[in-house]
């Protein structure tokens, strides 16, 4: 077992006061419990063999706040914490553990938002310094790199792949000269 891409996630956006136990449990079950069980099962094999690379999918919501989606934000913060803890604990066994934190990216998970709420989607793209959403292929390129031998000295990295969004201080607007 050379590499694991621990990539799973669900979201149930709604105001926090409307989050019920079933919603909370579902999001935590997929985003945290499943991620933990997969990484520990594979980690045992990698520790035994003395090498391996793990890449967990978190989100930029795992490093910052996001309104109206507390279960998702909390679950992805937990994935970031899991990544950092395992990078420290498992490094002595020759394992590397990193996290991919996609920003606004056009995926199957957000197809409905892009179609039904195109104005909202366009407003989200407008605040990305690169002025567009990322693609699944762009996220995959970073994932492949982080699990490759070319990243053999990269561990504990929380890679925000977001078109520069988190480099922008939120108090400013992105203005591009005409």
């Amino acid at each position: 077992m050379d590499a694991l891409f621990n990539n799973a996630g669900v979201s149930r956006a709604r105001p926090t006061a409307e989050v019920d136990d079933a919603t909370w449990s579902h999001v935590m079950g997929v985003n945290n419990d499943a991620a933990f069980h997969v990484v520990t099962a594979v980690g045992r094999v990698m520790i035994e063999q003395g090498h391996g690379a793990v890449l967990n999918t978190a989100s930029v919501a795992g490093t910052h706040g996001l309104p109206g989606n507390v279960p998702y934000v909390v679950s992805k913060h937990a994935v970031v914490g899991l990544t950092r803890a395992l990078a420290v604990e498992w490094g002595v066994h020759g394992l590397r553990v990193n996290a991919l934190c996609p920003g606004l990216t056009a995926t199957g998970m957000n197809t409905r938002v892009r179609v039904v709420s195109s104005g909202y989607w366009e407003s989200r793209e407008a605040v990305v310094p690169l002025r567009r959403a990322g693609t699944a292929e762009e996220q995959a390129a970073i994932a492949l790199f982080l699990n490759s031998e070319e990243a053999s000295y990269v561990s504990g990295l929380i890679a925000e792949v977001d078109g520069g969004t988190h480099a922008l201080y939120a108090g400013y607007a992105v203005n591009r000269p005409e």
Side-chain angles (χ1 to χ4, degrees), residues 79-166:
V79 172
V80 168
L82 176 68
T83 299
R84 287 184 169 139
L86 294 179
V88 173
E89 182 179 333
W90 290 355
V92 298
H93 300 289
L95 280 63
R96 298 181 299 107
V97 185
N98 295 295
L100 177 66
C101 295
L104 186 67
T105 304
T107 66
M109 189 168 154
N110 56 37
T111 299
R112 184 175 180 282
V113 172
R114 294 192 325 266
V115 172
V116 175
S117 303
S118 61
Y120 169 75
W121 187 262
E122 290 168 2
S123 72
R124 292 280 315 277
E125 287 182 317
V127 297
V128 174
L130 290 180
R131 290 294 199 261
R132 65 176 179 83
T135 66
E137 293 79 11
E138 289 168 320
Q139 299 295 340
I142 299 299
L144 286 170
F145 169 72
L146 288 173
N147 271 351
S148 75
E149 283 302 311
E150 282 126 10
S152 62
Y153 197 62
V154 179
S155 191
L157 178 69
I158 309 303
E160 294 176 331
V161 183
D162 65 359
T165 304
H166 283 96

